[in-house]
Amino acid sequence: MTLTEDRAPSARQVLPAEERHAAELAFLAAHDSGPRPPGWALTPRAVVTFICGSGNEKLDGRMKIAPKFVGERALVERCVVTLAGERGLLLVGEPGTAKSMLSELLAAAVCGTSALTVQGTAGTTEDAFRYGWNYALLLAQGPSRTALVDSPVLTAMRSGRVARVEEITRCLPEVQDALVSILSDRRVSVPELAGTEDAQVAAASGFTVIATANLRDRGVSEMSAALKRRFNFETVGPISDADAEVSLVRRQATAVVERAGAAFGVDDAVLDALVTVFRDLRSGRSAEGWDVERPGTVMSTAEAVQVAASLGVAAAYLPTGDVLDLVPGHLLGVVRKDDPADHGRLLGYWDGPVRRRAEDGSAMWRRLWDLRENLR
């Protein structure tokens, strides 16, 4: 086959949550017959179970629900209560703390789709929250319902579903404020259709909005006080349990490598060391209690997953020896993203905790200490 020949369409790289977990969602819908808020596909209790898992038990002795979000169950319960009250939910936190994943899981469980999404950017306009026009029809017929193009938010309003707004603080303030009337009045006016039954769109029962925002990022716009009052804020923090973070990194990196057509071949000891480095640099303190200078870059779990996946792909397709030898170079690529001075902070970490662990007799950390030259 040449590069110009047509190729058969390949499988999608990543399925949305409602398709990826369709069997669990269908089972939970049938399993829990308790009360549901208007328009919800699952009961609030089943939504929490879908996201947090059923533990070691099989529901009805048939299906064990796998946990999908590593975090406090109480946080997920508060999010579900907010949505059940048709209140806007804003998930805030540092980059890489799974805010978007939690938003997707909540939307998929509550209304069966996570696709009604607006990606916030500096170029996002009010049309993304309200409506636009099919200009060919507008010119041919004038303003009409058929010429109106619903935004994802307007579609969610009409159908009583959840709309998602990713990175809301990346939108300009005047664009953000288009949500104020939507969340308070629960309707959108269409002045161009004044005098017709389509001049106003009222939100159906079940409509609400989940937005995400980074606490520590560049190029963001402050939300107005009026808009903040329309949301319940929930902070999604880093994973507190080290073993849970290692397990998550292993699971997600394995999925990435398998999508690349290979088996994941990174040793657990290497993953443990990798996650330890990320946790130490993220918190500014090592597991042993030694002080560590934190880099300006956010050393998130998401970045750890990407490094672990890169190690797995390299081990599968470009084997050159011990995969541990690749760790310093990948870490340097992560910490250099924002501040050149972070290079020195990473070297300081090597001269501190890495050296001290090597001196304590750990073969793994001794090897990492010997690789210090790879950081220059």
Side-chain angles (χ1 to χ4, degrees):
M1 178 187 292
T2 66
L3 291 177
T4 57
E5 289 180 20
D6 290 336
R7 300 196 312 179
S10 58
R12 287 173 289 172
Q13 287 185 327
V14 180
L15 295 175
E18 58 270 21
E19 294 184 39
R20 192 163 64 249
H21 306 295
E24 290 186 358
L25 290 169
F27 175 83
L28 287 168
H31 167 76
D32 193 340
S33 58
R36 306 179 187 186
W40 280 42
L42 301 179
T43 67
R45 179 172 53 192
V47 173
V48 175
T49 300
F50 171 69
I51 295 172
C52 298
S54 59
N56 294 322
E57 68 172 304
K58 289 185 177 181
L59 301 181
D60 283 346
R62 291 187 293 158
M63 179 175 283
K64 180 179 176 181
I65 307 300
K68 299 160 191 68
F69 171 74
V70 180
E72 295 181 2
R73 186 183 185 90
L75 165 67
V76 177
E77 291 175 347
R78 290 195 302 271
C79 292
V80 171
V81 168
T82 294
L83 298 176
E86 297 183 336
R87 173 92 170 160
L89 171 64
L90 183 61
L91 301 174
V92 299
E94 292 188 344
T97 50
K99 299 182 298 297
S100 295
M101 183 184 74
L102 179 56
S103 166
E104 180 186 4
L105 291 169
L106 285 166
V110 167
C111 68
T113 180
S114 59
L116 300 175
T117 303
V118 175
Q119 179 60 55
T121 69
T124 301
T125 65
E126 276 194 42
D127 292 357
F129 296 140
R130 295 170 60 81
Y131 58 86
W133 295 98
N134 180 322
Y135 286 101
L137 288 176
L138 186 64
L139 291 173
Q141 304 174 2
S144 66
R145 174 68 185 94
T146 55
L148 193 72
V149 178
D150 289 358
S151 70
V153 176
L154 195 59
T155 299
M157 292 181 68
R158 291 187 191 275
S159 57
R161 290 184 284 184
V162 176
R164 301 168 58 218
V165 182
E166 291 292 315
E167 306 285 3
I168 188 172
T169 51
R170 287 194 172 278
C171 301
L172 296 176
E174 58 269 26
V175 174
Q176 295 178 26
D177 284 344
L179 284 173
V180 172
S181 61
I182 291 173
L183 291 173
S184 57
D185 300 334
R186 301 286 163 159
R187 58 181 177 267
V188 170
S189 296
V190 187
E192 296 89 343
L193 301 181
T196 73
E197 62 181 12
D198 297 310
Q200 197 171 82
V201 179
S205 295
F207 165 71
T208 191
V209 175
I210 304 175
T212 64
N214 284 328
L215 291 175
R216 189 170 143 196
D217 208 352
R218 296 175 181 173
V220 299
S221 301
E222 178 68 20
M223 295 173 66
S224 68
L227 183 56
K228 287 179 179 178
R229 288 197 301 271
R230 269 68 180 183
F231 283 102
N232 281 356
F233 281 58
E234 290 293 346
T235 301
V236 183
I239 298 173
S240 58
D241 183 78
D243 291 338
E245 185 167 8
V246 171
S247 178
L248 176 66
V249 169
R250 181 187 301 107
R251 183 169 65 252
Q252 294 195 355
T254 298
V256 173
V257 175
E258 287 178 348
R259 286 201 303 271
F264 187 67
V266 179
D267 292 339
D268 287 349
V270 175
L271 285 182
D272 288 343
L274 176 66
V275 172
T276 297
V277 173
F278 270 82
R279 292 179 65 85
D280 290 351
L281 291 172
R282 182 193 307 149
S283 65
R285 197 168 185 82
S286 75
E288 298 87 350
W290 305 322
D291 289 336
V292 174
E293 187 175 5
R294 296 176 60 187
T297 299
V298 178
M299 303 297 289
S300 67
T301 303
E303 289 281 11
V305 169
Q306 294 307 313
V307 172
S310 296
L311 296 177
V313 171
Y317 290 121
L318 299 171
T320 56
D322 192 343
V323 71
L324 187 65
D325 295 353
L326 305 177
V327 169
H330 283 286
L331 286 172
L332 189 57
V334 172
V335 300
R336 273 181 169 170
K337 287 184 177 180
D338 291 328
D339 184 355
D342 285 342
H343 182 192
R345 297 183 180 102
L346 183 61
L347 284 171
Y349 177 77
W350 237 254
D351 292 337
V354 173
R355 177 181 59 80
R356 294 175 74 171
R357 289 167 184 154
E359 291 173 347
D360 287 342
S362 169
M364 174 74 68
W365 293 98
R366 179 69 208 181
R367 179 59 185 157
L368 284 172
W369 169 248
D370 290 340
L371 293 169
R372 186 183 185 281
E373 290 302 313
N374 291 3
L375 293 175
R376 293 193 175 278

